Amino acid sequence: MPEPAEQAQDRDRETRAFRPLLRSFCSTDSYGLVLVMIIVTYALATTLSPQWGVTILLFAQIGTVWLVLRTSLARRGLRLVATVLFALTAVGAAANLFLHTDSNLVPFIFLASSVLYFVAPFSIVRRIGYRREVDRKTMLGALAAYLLLGMAFAFAYRFLGAIQKGPFFGTKGDGTVSQDLFFSFVTLTTTGYGNLVPASNPGQSLAVLEALMGQLFLVTAVAKIVSSWRPRGWGKPPRDDESTSDRSA
C-alpha cells in the first residue's frame, strides 16, 4: 500500500529538520565540528604514548583552537596573539620529537596547551553573546566552550604536576594526562568523587577556581541559553487533525 500523504509529509519534515544538525557537524561555520575536534583531542590525550602523544596532541589542539577562532570570528588582536602561541607551540611540539620524555620542555608544552584552551572559550562566549536568537549554533557553541574550559584546567594541572616539588595528587603521584582530564571535569561539574585530590597549593586553589567558573558558566550562560532556546516547531499550534484526535481521546 502506498504511504498516506500525511505520513509522508511528516517524514519529509523530520528529514529536513535532521539535515541542519548533520551539516553543523561538518561545516567550519558551526561549532559542531569544534565539538568533534574536542572529542578527538580528548581521545588522543588519553591513549597516545607520552613523547609522540604530546606532539600529536599539540597539533590537534592548534587545529581545534584555530577552528574555534575562525568560527567565532575572533578579533584581530586575539588572532595575532593566538598566531604567536600557535608558532611557539608548533616549534615546541616539533622539538619534543627529538628530546627525551623527561625533558624540561614538556611542562611548558602543557602550559601552552592550557593557554590555548583558555583563549578559545572566551572567544566563543563573546560571539554567541551577540547573537539575537538562541539556535542550534548557540547551543553547540556553549557546550564547546564548557568542554574547552575543562580541558584547559586539565593541562594546567599537568603543568603544575611537572614543575612543583611534591607529587600533584600526593600519594597518588603526579597522575597521567587521563587522570588530569578526569579530575578536571569532575571538579568543573562539582561532582567531587574525592579519589583524586591536589595535595597542596597552587593546585588546590586552581581547583577551587575551576569549580567556581564551572558553576558560574552553568548558572549564567548555559541556563540563559536553555531557557531561551526553542527548537523549530515548538510553540506552533497543533494541526486540525491533531487537535480533533486530542479532544476525542
Side-chain angles (χ1 to χ4, degrees):
M1 283 182 68
E3 187 178 28
E6 292 182 358
Q7 293 183 6
Q9 291 176 357
D10 290 340
R11 180 171 299 181
D12 186 57
R13 280 194 294 267
E14 292 175 358
T15 303
R16 287 198 302 268
F18 190 65
R19 286 173 184 170
L21 181 61
L22 290 178
R23 286 197 298 267
S24 66
F25 285 94
C26 302
S27 172
T28 56
D29 294 326
S30 173
Y31 294 106
L33 186 57
V34 173
L35 285 174
V36 173
M37 291 290 292
I38 293 172
I39 294 172
V40 170
T41 305
Y42 188 98
L44 291 174
T46 57
T47 57
L48 293 178
S49 59
Q51 187 167 359
W52 282 95
V54 170
T55 300
I56 296 175
L57 176 63
L58 279 172
F59 281 113
Q61 289 174 330
I62 290 173
T64 302
V65 177
W66 175 85
L67 181 61
V68 169
L69 297 180
R70 182 186 186 280
T71 306
S72 61
L73 302 178
R75 295 177 179 177
R76 183 178 180 181
L78 182 58
R79 292 201 304 269
L80 289 175
V81 173
T83 301
V84 174
L85 288 174
F86 289 160
L88 294 176
T89 306
V91 171
N96 182 64
L97 294 176
F98 305 98
L99 299 174
H100 298 291
T101 55
D102 58 350
S103 170
N104 293 330
L105 180 63
V106 174
F108 295 97
I109 291 177
F110 282 108
L111 176 62
S113 303
S114 179
V115 172
L116 286 174
Y117 269 38
F118 269 119
V119 169
F122 289 105
S123 179
I124 295 176
V125 171
R126 183 194 65 82
R127 179 61 180 172
I128 63 178
Y130 286 109
R131 294 180 66 85
R132 295 182 178 180
E133 60 177 351
V134 177
D135 54 10
R136 186 181 294 108
K137 186 173 182 178
T138 311
M139 291 287 292
L140 293 175
L143 179 58
Y146 191 66
L147 295 178
L148 286 168
L149 192 62
M151 296 190 74
F153 275 99
F155 295 123
Y157 296 139
R158 191 65 180 168
F159 167 71
L160 290 177
I163 64 170
Q164 69 181 26
K165 294 182 179 180
F168 185 78
F169 292 118
T171 57
K172 299 290 182 66
D174 287 331
T176 62
V177 177
S178 178
Q179 288 176 324
D180 289 325
L181 287 167
F182 171 78
F183 171 73
S184 178
F185 282 102
V186 166
T187 304
L188 186 69
T189 57
T190 63
T191 305
Y193 290 123
N195 54 338
L196 293 172
V197 179
S200 60
N201 276 315
Q204 293 174 346
S205 298
L206 192 63
V208 172
L209 177 62
E210 181 179 13
L212 291 174
M213 290 185 66
Q215 288 304 297
L216 287 174
F217 193 91
L218 288 177
V219 302
T220 55
V222 175
K224 176 65 176 177
I225 289 172
V226 171
S227 62
S228 302
W229 185 50
R230 293 294 183 271
R232 185 175 299 177
W234 284 21
K236 292 182 179 180
R239 299 195 307 268
D240 293 338
D241 55 346
E242 291 179 349
S243 59
T244 302
S245 60
D246 291 340
R247 287 195 297 268
S248 60

